[in-house]
Amino acid sequence: MNPHAAEMLEELFALAHWCAAKGWVPATSGNFSVADSNRNILISRSGFDKSRMEREDLVALDSGGSVFPGSTQKPSAESSLHAIIYRKRPEAHAIAHVHTIWNTLLSERFVVTGHVDIAGYELLKALSDVQSHAHHERVPVIANSQDYHTLARELEEVLADNPTAHGVLLSGHGLYTWGRSVAETRRHLEALEFLFEVEGRKLFGYPD
Ligand SMILES: [Zn+2]
């Protein structure tokens, strides 16, 4: 990792703990990673309570998403999706994946059209390179599958087709978002989840 790796990992753990406290990674779901400029990845291991995430819970992967020989830990089942994101978004150095109520509801509602469109909100400016509330953010939605090869291929396509997207939804499953740093990834995550909740409440009319 880069010279700031230790600090970056502390930020990653804090992000995982914060997501757990918010109920965004229920029942051992979700995963988190960081990558260096050579796209070597450190990712959370498979299935554990993210409120306790620490250094021993990380698994090293090469740029293709394969575990380095000698690792005794099993990486997240979704490692191939992290590897695709790092490949298609060379500026990204951190990824968060969460299963929230609002991203689950909206992804199911919009899987038919293939995207969630969000425009007109001040908080859109929390997304990198967005200057105005008038920005139109299109979040692609992919149909969920347990076949991670298919998912990886579809993810690669939507990332290529939507070069300015800040996140991708898997239908009935969750959100992937990324950033140039852990801090930027956290800002994107918080902004997108806020926007999903606003859109969701407007659409479904939930009182609170
Ligand atoms: Zn997941």
Side-chain angles (χ1 to χ4, degrees):
M1 309 307 288
N2 65 42
H4 304 295
E7 191 184 322
M8 198 172 180
L9 292 184
E10 286 308 316
E11 287 179 16
L12 189 73
F13 303 147
L15 172 60
H17 302 163
W18 176 73
C19 288
K22 290 179 87 68
W24 287 359
V25 284
T28 77
S29 67
N31 39 68
F32 301 88
S33 71
V34 288
D36 65 13
S37 0
N38 295 321
R39 314 283 79 183
N40 291 314
I41 302 165
L42 283 174
I43 188 170
S44 46
R45 67 181 170 86
S46 179
F48 70 101
D49 179 353
K50 305 302 181 299
S51 70
R52 301 167 173 282
M53 185 164 151
E54 56 183 11
R55 183 67 184 86
E56 287 67 36
D57 297 313
L58 292 177
V59 187
L61 308 177
D62 65 21
S63 57
S66 300
V67 181
F68 279 110
S71 171
T72 52
Q73 298 276 38
K74 186 167 169 258
S76 161
E78 296 174 38
S79 334
S80 57
L81 306 185
H82 287 244
I84 293 285
I85 292 171
Y86 286 125
R87 193 152 78 232
K88 301 301 283 185
R89 293 289 189 269
E91 77 284 4
H93 284 285
I95 295 173
H97 169 57
V98 296
H99 298 196
T100 71
I101 303 279
W102 290 108
N103 74 35
T104 301
L105 286 169
L106 277 197
S107 63
E108 284 217 299
R109 171 68 177 71
F110 288 102
V111 67
V112 182
T113 56
H115 47 80
V116 177
D117 284 327
I118 306 172
Y121 300 106
E122 184 68 12
L123 207 63
L124 285 161
K125 288 160 60 185
L127 303 175
S128 63
D129 304 319
V130 172
Q131 315 295 344
S132 165
H133 66 280
H135 169 76
H136 183 126
E137 181 74 12
R138 172 161 285 191
V139 185
V141 185
I142 300 172
N144 196 30
S145 169
Q146 298 307 314
D147 175 354
Y148 286 100
H149 293 295
T150 304
L151 272 186
R153 203 170 51 241
E154 290 181 6
L155 179 60
E156 191 163 16
E157 277 172 25
V158 298
L159 288 169
D161 292 345
N162 299 271
T164 59
H166 295 82
V168 174
L169 287 162
L170 303 185
S171 165
H173 178 163
L175 169 72
Y176 272 90
T177 187
W178 53 85
R180 297 183 190 100
S181 62
V182 175
E184 187 175 274
T185 301
R186 179 168 170 158
R187 202 180 72 227
H188 289 169
L189 175 60
E190 192 166 20
L192 287 171
E193 288 296 334
F194 172 93
L195 295 164
F196 292 153
E197 184 168 349
V198 171
E199 286 293 296
R201 287 184 190 278
K202 225 159 72 173
L203 189 67
F204 302 116
Y206 287 13
D208 49 41

